[in-house]
Amino acid sequence: MKTLRLILGDQLNENHSWFQTVDDNIIYIMAEMRQETDYVKHHIQKVVAFFISMRNFSEILTSKGHQCIYLKISDDTNPQDLKAIIKRHLKATGSQKFEYQLPDEYRLDQQLKQICEELNCDYEIADTEHFYTTRFELKNFFSGKKQLIMESFYRMMRKKHHILTTGDQPEGGKWNYDHSNRKKWKGQPIIPEIKKFERNVSAVIEEIKNSGAKTFGHIEPNDFNWPCSRKESLSVLSYFCENLLMHFGDYQDALHTEEKFLFHSRLSFAMNSKMIAPKEVVDSVIAHYRNNTDSIQISQVEGFVRQILGWREYMRGMYWKEMPLYANHNKLNNSNSLPNFFWTGKTKMNCLHHAIDQSLNEAYAHHIQRLMITGNFALLNMTDPKEVDEWYLGIYIDAIEWVEITNTRGMSQFADGGLVATKPYVSSANYINKMSNYCSSCHYSHTKKLGDKACPFNALYWNFLDEKRQYFSSNNRMAMMMSLLNKKPSEELKALKERANEIISNPDQF
Ligand SMILES: Cc1cc2nc3c(=O)[nH]c(=O)nc-3n(C[C@H](O)[C@H](O)[C@H](O)COP(=O)(O)OP(=O)(O)OC[C@H]3O[C@@H](n4cnc5c(N)ncnc54)[C@H](O)[C@@H]3O)c2cc1C
Ligand code: SF4
């Protein structure tokens, strides 16, 4: 009996049990589809990275003796739609059974369930064998609990997987070294250049353009450095361990005009496409640490492990616990439009100019740029979370809904009312100046609250707290800020609100 097995673009796991034996009765199908390029407008680098990685994966399968049908976006016979592709190839290959791996996106999960109901053949669903947790492990862990705090989930994960633990206790004496992760980068230590790959991606760019798929953002065909195979992903992982890990934790929250990547790993695309597994990333980092305890401190390693074992698994679990309702949350009732400068980078606000320009040029911004620069401004601007989501989902190389929406709608925009974050991540210029050098070369003054040269973040911050006063009145973590707000003289608050309204009514002028 012949079986048709579907491999989605973010299921490039060479170590999956599916691929461990070669069977002539199994035919794999992979397809570049307009369905996937068009559900939101994507950065050109994101589409290129997915297509090259998928093509490399299909070549590896074929070289190992597997039968793999691959449809390129440019193929005349490509129906560009998942349902049509599955139906056509079941018939063409004479397959009597269809198999797929659990998709990580709700949208595709629903679509595949629907397709299977309509098929006249057996079907079977396999796990992706990628994450530490199953889809509903977090839901079960938090069952009956009022608060869904990441830290308690993370500690459970550390203990369960025996990661940086001694018995039931944390290695080094502390579960979390978050407080050691807040250094400002001032030119030292030197940041090594990113790992580069020699290739030219002009042909793929041309195929994407000719297909009619709409993209945005910049790409350098001769300087495209995202890992697009398992081998390249592993080399980025080794590069991180050897060159960046030793300072990762210290400068995790730092921001700088000249350094786009600082000590960040740039591994998110490699992991989200499943070319490498979170377990092998964590294991490699810890093994490297064990061999270099004289030069690497536990705080650097724990800071990194927390992101993957903690935040990444937590976000996935929250996604499956809360979808599909999560995609419509707007608990703060925000409805303003996303400023146009998010699509151009043209703004006098230096921090936003740098974070957005970099995102348009690299399809990448690190966590604090996403959270405390663009996300912070979008929330202070009281932007419709749907528009914010679409921007993040389109622009970043690693954006797949399960990890994008929980970070954007949840952590960054507080649209879920505090399921993911216990307080909104908003700040005035004070925090941005503390963590970056953006303010020193800005048109605006970070210390001024009023007047033409006053940093827009300052007025927007107090206006936001005042506008959402009722909503946050019962939030303990906001108590100090609310008490400062209550102490503001009414004339000062009135002037701040007037300035904030000027900004919100025409953000592109600022
Ligand atoms: C508004 C917003 C949107 C985001 N959207 C995405 C997204 O679409 N896809 C995505 O993978 N990450 C997203 N993140 C999380 C984080 O910003 C990126 O994972 C990180 O910047 C990727 O770069 P890196 O690989 O160099 O990360 P590093 O700083 O080197 O961290 C290592 C790894 O930890 C994981 N990680 C770190 N923080 C998080 C987090 N908050 N949630 C989940 N995993 C995390 C990632 O897999 C990352 O590769 C978002 C964060 C915010 C605030
Ligand atoms: S002064 Fe304000 S707008 Fe300018 S960089 Fe600092 S925080 Fe950003």
Side-chain angles (χ1 to χ4, degrees), residues 349-351 429 432 438-439 442 444-446 455-457:
M349 292 179 269
N350 204 31
C351 51
I432 298 172
Y438 290 143
C439 303
C442 183
Y444 296 103
S445 159
H446 71 277
C455 168
F457 279 84

Side-chain angles (χ1 to χ4, degrees), residues 422 468-479 482:
T422 48
K468 308 297 174 190
R469 196 187 273 267
Q470 220 169 354
Y471 195 87
F472 293 119
S473 60
S474 54
N475 183 323
N476 287 341
R477 293 206 65 203
M478 293 297 283
M482 286 305 169

Side-chain angles (χ1 to χ4, degrees), residues 366-385:
H366 62 71
H367 187 68
I368 296 299
Q369 289 177 310
R370 298 187 204 195
L371 188 65
M372 296 312 294
I373 306 294
T374 44
N376 187 5
F377 189 88
L379 183 53
L380 294 177
N381 183 57
M382 296 182 285
T383 315
D384 183 342

